[in-house]
Structure formats: structure tokens, C-alpha cells
Amino acid sequence: MLIHGPSGSGKSTLLRVLARLEALSAGNILLDGREATDIAAPEYRRRVAYLQQMPVMTDGNIRDNLLLSFRYHDASPPDDDMLRRHLEELALYDVVLDAPATELSVGQQQRLALLRLLLMQPSVLLLDEPVASLDAASAEQLMHAVARECEARGLTVIIVSHQEIGVPGQHLRRLHLRNGRIEEEG
Amino acid sequence: MNGALDIGYPQLALSLLFVLLAGFASLRLRLGLGRDLLWGTLRTVSQLALLTVVLTWVFEVRHWPVILGMYALMILFASRIIRARVRSTTIRFFFPTFFSMLFSYMLVSYVVVDVIVEVRPWYRPEYFLPIGGMVIGNSMNAVAISIDRLFNDLLRRRGEVELLLCLGADSRQASADMFREAIRAGMIPSINSMMGVGLVFIPGMMTGQILAGSDPLVAVKYQIMVMLMLVGSTALGSVLVISLVRRRCFSRDHRLIIRAVDRGRKST
């Protein structure tokens, strides 16, 4: 699902509400038919993964950054070979896992941040202006990766963007948001 | 020894010359401090004169609830000063600050007078209140620094906190770094003063005791106890206050709800 709209129309707020980073003022959020508030927020956020507009990398190396979520739940983290394979799927080749994550370009960091979320195996992916800070080539790589993941894992993806972006894939819905209301759907 | 030499009132008045000197400098160098100097001098004289009356009355009191009440009042004033010093945000912290300081500082002061100095009865005001005052006065700064640091870090590093929340951390896990940094920031000054004491400065309490005719060894023993007590009360107070205040920065469902308020810093 792609949500468009001018600045200030409430796109990012809507996404933050869905990620439960902002309070819901009215209505409710259902996840697989279940009231979101019945699910503990940390567990909910693992299932409904939210990608920040600007990628945030912590001080550690690339491996630490990718495996951050494994600090907070009991799954066993993937090994280095697996991580490299995942990185290559996102067109990140020859990445040194021990290198500081902050040395990567913004485009690379954005894909790293996406992989970090995918490793939690979420069922919904929320992307806030995912390509706003990327050049055309990086944007295309990122959107292709998202489309592929979407197909392969049956992920629901909700993308917010102020600009038209090419999203490959067949089951695309579009919403247009203005002043906090949905104006058109197509 | 029979206490310090008394100062006659005419001689005390002579010390006004020091203020006049500062006033002269202010006039000549156009520092614009004249009014503040005058007001400051008046307040110093009148507040301390009032304190003589209060202390004379307080030291007669032999009821522990009255003494603890006065101690609570001192902590109330300290909480107000802290509130004015910390940057304005949407988070209210007056009551958590007040109650955690009340609990931790009373505990430390009680242990000091009853177990270490062995004052009998433990609530003798001439021991309990000055020692309590030192605890509050020093640890108050630590608490103010800690809260300010916590708020600043949570606002400045919002992206990082929300990243960790999005990766399945709860509010405590997501703010663990900021929590540690806030308490460290509050504790560093009292640890630094442990390093410098006796080398860089002679603490006021010890100076006072020596002037009042105490054996320097006794004064030193008191000072050691005071320094250690201050580190303990600072740690205990800051940990409690920051734990409670941090909880208020998040909602029940682990959302970071602190927001900056654009009023700048209030003055005391």
C-alpha cells in the first residue's frame, strides 16, 4: 500500500501511530483481527516493523547493528555467512561486518536498516519516506528489495511518500492523504 | 579551647568595605552589577539574621516530628530549586523528586547521626539539621544535573530510543544508556571533590569546626564522614529520582512521550 500526500497531511503521523510510537486519538488498530492494544508493545513492534525516515545506526559495527533486535528476544541470531547472503540480496556486496556502520553511505545504511527489520521476521513493514534521502539508483535497489521480500514472505508493506515512487509489484493499493483525511483511493 | 573569637558589630560593619570595593569595580568597569550587589548584601544579612532567630528556636525543640517536618520543608525548597534549574519539557517531575529525596536523604542523615556519630537522641536538631542540610545542598545539585541530562539525552537521541523500541526493546532497555549517563553526570562532581579535598580546597565544614576551636583531628574525621556520606546520598538520590522520572518519560505502552517546551530555562 502506498500513501501519498503533501507535507503536513499526516502521512508520517499515521505511520507512527501504526507503529505505536504515537498515541491513537480515535479508532483502533487491528493486527490479524486482534486489537493492537491487547498485544504488548514490544511484541507488536516486532511484528509491525517500522523503518525510520533517516536510518539510525548505533556506535557498533555492522554486525552489531544488524543483530540489535536479538538483544530483546530469544531467537538465535543468524551467522555471518547468512548475514552476508542477506546483504547481497540487498545489493550490498563485500560488506565488512566488523566495520563501523556509520561509515556507510546513507543509501547503504537505509538498506542495512531494512535488513535489520527483516531479520525480526515481521508480518507488516512500515516505511516512512524510504527513498527521500536516496539517489535514484539506491532508491530503485531499495524498492526492488522491498518488493521481493513482499512477494517471498507474504509481507504487508505500507509506504508513505510525498513524491511519486515506482513500486514494482502487482497488488498495490494507493491512498491519497490531505489534512489528515483519505481523499482518494485507487 | 573556648570557641572562635567573637567579632564586634563595628568590625563586622567594616566588612561592608569588601562590597563597596566590588561596587566600585562595577561602577568603573560598567559591569552593571550594582543593584545585584546591593540586593545580595541585604539578603545575606537579613536571611542569616533570620536564620539566627530560627536556629535559636529550633535548637530548643526536642520533638522529632517537628524536626523531621523542618527537614521535609528543606527538601521541598530544594525540589523547587531543582524544578527551576532543569530545562522545561512536558514531563512533570516535582513529586517524584521530592519523595525520592525525602526518602533517601532522610535515610542517609539518620544513619549518619544515629549509627556513625551516635548522637543521643538521634534527632538532636543541632546535629540532624546541619548534616541533613549538607546532604540536601550537595545532592540537590547532582539530582538537578541528572534530570537535566536525562531530558536532554532523551530529546536529542530520540531517533535512537525509538529505533530500539521498534526493534522490540521495552522502555527501560531503550533508554538504558541515557539512564546510566544521567546518573554518571550527577555523580561526577562529588567524586571529583573527593579527589580534590585537602589538596585543592579545605571544605567549609572543617574550616568552621577548626575556627570554632575543635581539635583538627575531630574536624577531619567529621569531614571524611561527610564526604563519604555525600557520595552515598548522591548515588542513592539520583538513582531513585532518575528511575521514577524516566518512567514518566514513557507511556505505559512504551512510547517516548517527552517533548521539549519552548520556554527556555526558567530562572530561580
Side-chain angles (χ1 to χ4, degrees), chain A residues 57-129:
Chain A
M57 293 290 136
T58 59
D59 287 338
N61 59 32
I62 292 176
R63 187 187 300 101
D64 298 336
N65 268 281
L66 284 174
L67 299 181
L68 261 179
S69 68
F70 291 89
R71 286 193 206 166
Y72 308 120
H73 67 136
D74 294 332
S76 56
D79 59 21
D80 286 2
D81 287 339
M82 184 74 101
L83 285 181
R84 281 199 197 88
R85 241 188 337 269
H86 285 309
L87 286 166
E88 283 169 14
E89 284 168 10
L90 291 171
L92 289 165
Y93 305 104
D94 304 322
V95 170
V96 182
L97 290 172
D98 291 308
T102 43
E103 283 180 6
L104 296 174
S105 72
V106 178
Q108 290 172 318
Q109 288 187 16
Q110 190 72 309
R111 277 174 278 162
L112 210 64
L114 176 67
L115 176 55
R116 182 164 61 189
L117 294 181
L118 292 173
L119 290 174
M120 295 195 295
Q121 305 196 310
S123 45
V124 180
L125 199 54
L126 308 172
L127 308 181
D128 190 2
E129 301 278 3

Side-chain angles (χ1 to χ4, degrees), chain B residues 59 67-68 70-76 78 101-102 104-114 117 119 122-140 205 222 225-226 229-230 233-234:
Chain B
F59 287 170
I67 290 157
L68 289 189
M70 285 189 285
Y71 194 48
L73 199 66
M74 287 158 69
I75 291 180
L76 192 75
M101 293 207 297
L102 192 67
S104 45
Y105 299 169
M106 270 198 183
L107 181 72
V108 170
S109 308
Y110 171 78
V111 169
V112 167
V113 291
D114 193 39
V117 188
V119 179
W122 62 268
Y123 50 81
R124 261 174 67 186
E126 61 269 43
Y127 283 87
F128 193 77
L129 291 179
I131 284 177
M134 275 192 284
V135 170
I136 298 170
N138 282 275
S139 309
M140 172 179 90
M205 176 188 176
Y222 264 88
M225 177 200 70
V226 165
M229 157 185 100
L230 292 181
S233 63
T234 303

